[in-house]
Structure formats: C-alpha cells, structure tokens
Amino acid sequence: MTVTTRAENVGIRAIDVYFPSRYVDQTELEQHDGVSAGKYTIGLGQSKMAFCDDREDISSACMTAVQNFMEKYNVSYSDIGRLEVGTETIIDKSKSTKTVLMKLFEESGNFNVEGIDTTNACYGGTSALFNACQWVDSSAWDGRLALVVAGDIAVYSKGAARPSGGMGIACILVGPNAPLALEFPLRGTFMEHIYDFYKPDMSSEFPTVDGPLSVTSYVRAVDHAYAAYLEKLEKIEGIANPSLNDLDYVVFHSPYTKQVVKGFARLAYNDFMRSPESSQFADVQQFKDVEREESYTNKVLEKAFINVSKTTFAAKTEPTLLAARNIGNMYTGSVFFGLASLLSQVSFDQLDGKRIALFSYGSGCAASVYSFRVRADTSAIAQTIDLATRLDSRTKVSPAEFEAIMDLREKTHNAQEYEPTGSVETLFPGTFYLQKIDSMWRRAYGRTPLN
C-alpha cells in the first residue's frame, strides 16, 4: 500500500474570482430611487453593484469561475480529488451545484471527486474551505488537490436592501506547500440560533431580512469569534494578552463596506475591554463601564471606536475592500473577494511572513475568525487575478435598465420551459450562460468564445 506523506503548509495555493460584466452606479441609483445623496455611497460605503440577467444562474456562474481558473493557472482536472461548493443560491432543493460542475470533468475522465455543497447563508464558503484544508491535512488525503467554489447571486426585493446586493464567485485551489498556509488550529467560532436573514419562501430568490437584528448579530459574532481566536493565540502561540497588534491584516465578510468599518471598530472595542488601561484607549475611558449588551446599539460608542481605530483600519483592512466596494455583496464569496483584493493591492514584499486574519459571518448564524500565514510569493496570484483592470473593463448600466432586469429575474424565477431573453453579447469572453430550461426543469448551458 502506498502511504501519502503528511502534507505541510496546507492552505490556499491559488485563487481567482468571477463577477459579471455589468454594474449599476450607486450614485446614479440614489438619484433614481429618490433617496438622499450619500445614502448608498456613504451610508453603505458602496460605489458600484454587479448584477446579472436571466442568462446567468448559480450553476453557470460557478462553471465560469472554475473553468476560467483551471485555464488561467493551467491546472488539470485529473489533479483534483475534492470539490466543494459553498453557496446559498439554490435553484434545486436536491441536486447540488457541485454535481453540475462535474460536467467540466468529463473530458478528463476524472469522476472520483469528493465533496458536495455546504449551506448556511454567507458562511458556506468558509465551511467548504475548512473541509478542503482538513481533507488535505488528514489521513484520508490521497495526494491530489482540492477546489473550493464560493459565491452567490445576491438580490433583494425593491426597497432599502436592494442596493446591498451583488454577485461574484471565488475559486480557490487548496493543497500543501501553499503561499497562504492556514494556521491550524488557530480558529475561533461562534454559532447561535437567530432569525436575522433567512430564505423561507421557496418561490422567491429574495430573502427575509431583519436589518437591525442582522447588524447586531454580525457585531455579536465578531465579539465571540474574535475572543475565541485570541484564546487560541494565547494558549497555542504563547502570546500574552493578544490583540489586533498580532494580526497584520484583517479581512471581513462584507455585506457592505460600512459594516466592515464597524466590524473592525468592534475588534478595537474588544481589545479595550481586555486592556482598558492601554494608552491607545485614553480617549474612550467613558465607555469602560458600559454593559456589553448595551454596547451593541450604542451609536456614540460605535463612532468613538471607529475614530480610535481609523489609522489601524486604513493599514490592516482598507486594502481588502476594492472588490466589495465595486461589486457589492457576494454572500459566501465575499470574504474571499476581500482576500483577493488584499493580494491585488499589497505587494508580496509587504505581505511576506505576515498573518492575515479572516472574519467570516453567515446569518442564522455561523461565524469564525481564522488566519493564514504568507509563506511564499503571492505575486503570480495577484497578476492572474488582475482585479483592478478587470473591474475597469465592465459596462455601466442605467438604474432603469437594472430595475427592469431585476423585474425580469423575479418574474422568471423557477421558470419551466423557458428560454432566457438576455443578450449573450453583453457577457465577458469565456462566460457560461443558460440556454434553456425544459419541461422537466433541466437546464442547458453554453459558453461564450474566449476571444
């Protein structure tokens, strides 16, 4: 029997992201919706929002992400032993998106591929990543690589939540000797039962959202997951009184970037509660006796810690927000688009040897803080993602056209015997698209030419 050597430095070997070719400008959307100037651009911290019409669904988008990844990085489908999809965009209550992706493996003849879909709001991608890394790190590993696909089509009904939508898919290659090595077992997790954001209506792709509760739930999850992570740092790494100072960069799940600002400020608040005597907190001593539960809705406290952490935020987290600000929410893919942004915005010279912490949050709720250590050159990854150039290559669509496309998606959701009306000409080269849905809801796909 052949024994596979235990893997070392297991983590992310490569990453790429897919987002649609069209977007709506948030400033123009403010004007179109008749809301006050800055409501979306300042209040949410968003500049542009990606979207798709009836030509793309979750399966086509994931196929685009995977096939483009395999071509860009010249990876063989024969080398993949596990593929797991994290998504909450469901078009079938039984058949997984992963099984659709197996269509891409047909030519290689490789059908021995573990993994299916994993679902809990925006946390599914993180769970899929954990599963993939743990597979490579376990005695079950057969020496092959793993793919993690994480992303969603985030759409909302007309109203205040619609500008916080978006669309994007991340494709991640997991294996040994990775440039981004997952720090086993530095991980803090928090889970509880709460109805902040959920999708009980199977006839609609829109969620049911309790906005204020969702914001509070996010912040509470930051508190608990961060505390659990710091406890691991203290026990395993032997770091006395660990804090933000021990994290070089911090990537957050971003429903909208203003929430990330608040999330980072919450890390500073937690450091303050652990070491209130620290000189960096001289200006916020008045909050020392505020009860934690009260702190979740105390806007004066929130603003104070945003100000206290402003300089640190600019260094550790601002570089992670390029995609989120210009694409919107990608649900399960959001935190990985943040990681892709960081790799694109910060050179390897600055990243070398650094610790990158991630906060992943999914409503309902499930959350984790975990970290990677940069062990090898990330320059090729940044060049392959080519994020800024690709974002600039998109086409702007008017708010009126965007609204008409959202209406079309709503009317055709769960359609049967349907041929999409969206133009294939608007798609990026190499994009998979929906050709038709037959009388048994079976979907057929095509792909736009690469050139």
Side-chain angles (χ1 to χ4, degrees):
M1 185 177 91
T2 301
V3 179
T4 302
T5 304
R6 183 68 180 265
E8 294 183 355
N9 288 326
V10 175
I12 296 176
R13 291 172 59 125
I15 182 171
D16 192 30
V17 294
Y18 167 70
F19 46 87
S21 61
R22 293 183 292 175
Y23 70 91
V24 62
D25 182 88
Q26 293 279 17
T27 299
E28 294 180 5
L29 196 59
E30 289 171 343
Q31 297 167 354
H32 177 80
D33 291 348
V35 301
S36 58
K39 185 175 178 64
Y40 305 156
T41 52
I42 299 173
L44 296 179
Q46 296 301 118
S47 297
K48 300 169 184 175
M49 178 169 53
F51 66 93
C52 61
D53 60 22
D54 60 345
R55 278 293 179 185
E56 293 186 86
D57 62 17
I58 189 60
S59 293
S60 72
C62 287
M63 283 195 286
T64 300
V66 171
Q67 184 64 25
N68 287 352
F69 177 95
M70 301 297 271
E71 290 169 352
K72 287 181 180 181
Y73 285 101
N74 195 27
V75 178
S76 170
Y77 282 101
S78 299
D79 292 334
I80 304 301
R82 183 179 183 89
L83 168 60
E84 189 161 344
V85 179
T87 187
E88 62 173 278
T89 307
I90 308 299
I91 56 176
D92 192 294
K93 291 181 285 185
S94 176
K95 181 175 173 61
S96 69
T97 301
K98 185 272 177 77
T99 61
V100 179
L101 293 177
M102 290 307 299
K103 182 75 176 173
L104 302 176
F105 285 75
E106 288 182 356
E107 188 175 332
S108 72
N110 177 21
F111 301 102
N112 179 18
V113 184
E114 295 187 8
I116 47 172
D117 291 5
T118 182
T119 301
N120 184 88
C122 305
Y123 187 81
T126 290
S127 183
L129 178 68
F130 288 168
N131 290 343
C133 290
Q134 285 153 191
W135 176 71
V136 175
D137 191 54
S138 75
S139 60
W141 184 49
D142 64 5
R144 292 182 294 167
L145 302 172
L147 279 180
V148 173
V149 181
D152 284 281
I153 301 170
V155 289
Y156 295 85
S157 58
K158 287 182 182 177
R162 177 161 279 184
S164 60
M167 177 189 170
I169 312 290
C171 186
I172 301 163
L173 186 68
V174 171
N177 307 314
L180 301 177
L182 183 65
E183 293 193 293
F184 290 102
L186 299 182
R187 185 185 306 173
T189 291
F190 174 72
M191 300 204 181
E192 69 171 348
H193 170 54
I194 190 168
Y195 280 116
D196 60 325
F197 169 111
Y198 47 109
K199 295 179 178 177
D201 184 357
M202 299 300 176
S203 67
S204 171
E205 64 178 343
F206 300 144
T208 298
V209 185
D210 183 331
L213 182 61
S214 188
V215 171
T216 301
S217 179
Y218 181 104
V219 171
R220 288 184 71 246
V222 168
D223 281 6
H224 289 278
Y226 181 56
Y229 176 83
L230 292 183
E231 184 179 343
K232 293 279 183 69
L233 269 185
E234 195 161 16
K235 288 182 177 179
I236 296 166
E237 296 283 294
I239 299 174
N241 196 24
S243 68
L244 257 174
N245 293 332
D246 300 295
L247 309 178
D248 298 299
Y249 296 95
V250 188
V251 183
F252 285 81
H253 165 63
S254 178
Y256 46 89
T257 65
K258 192 61 176 288
Q259 184 61 48
V260 173
V261 175
K262 296 177 181 179
F264 189 91
R266 198 68 193 183
L267 300 184
Y269 169 77
N270 278 275
D271 285 355
F272 165 69
M273 294 300 287
R274 290 165 63 89
S275 301
E277 72 288 347
S278 174
S279 60
Q280 65 181 307
F281 300 123
D283 295 335
V284 290
Q285 290 299 306
Q286 66 271 34
F287 301 109
K288 189 162 52 177
D289 298 322
V290 174
E291 293 292 330
R292 186 172 288 271
E293 282 302 314
E294 180 191 339
S295 74
Y296 294 129
T297 54
N298 188 324
K299 294 298 181 183
V300 178
L301 181 151
E302 177 184 89
K303 186 174 181 180
F305 281 93
I306 288 174
N307 287 332
V308 162
S309 61
K310 189 173 292 184
T311 301
T312 316
F313 172 85
K316 295 179 185 285
T317 298
E318 178 62 38
T320 73
L321 296 179
L322 177 64
R325 189 171 283 120
N326 289 285
I327 296 174
N329 195 354
M330 291 76 73
Y331 289 165
T332 58
S334 174
V335 72
F336 302 117
F337 273 73
L339 181 59
S341 296
L342 177 65
L343 299 179
S344 300
Q345 297 284 93
V346 180
S347 69
F348 171 65
D349 288 343
Q350 294 172 274
L351 292 173
D352 190 12
K354 296 297 196 298
R355 170 176 285 142
I356 303 172
L358 278 69
F359 170 70
S360 178
Y361 174 81
S363 293
C365 78
S368 291
V369 171
Y370 56 106
S371 57
F372 294 92
R373 184 71 75 171
V374 181
R375 299 291 188 193
D377 199 346
T378 56
S379 302
I381 297 176
Q383 291 168 7
T384 301
I385 297 172
D386 196 20
L387 186 58
T389 302
R390 290 169 59 202
L391 287 170
D392 288 343
S393 72
R394 295 177 298 168
T395 302
K396 184 173 72 171
V397 168
S398 72
E401 186 176 351
F402 163 72
E403 198 169 84
I405 289 170
M406 290 298 99
D407 288 344
L408 173 66
R409 286 192 65 89
E410 185 174 5
K411 289 173 185 174
T412 59
H413 180 69
N414 280 344
Q416 182 185 24
E417 291 191 279
Y418 177 70
E419 292 191 13
T421 59
S423 172
V424 175
E425 301 301 317
T426 64
L427 304 174
F428 279 134
T431 300
F432 283 84
Y433 60 90
L434 181 64
Q435 292 176 318
K436 66 177 181 178
I437 305 172
D438 71 12
S439 61
M440 294 181 66
W441 286 279
R442 293 175 298 197
R443 295 175 179 236
Y445 299 95
R447 191 187 188 201
T448 59
L450 287 172
N451 298 307

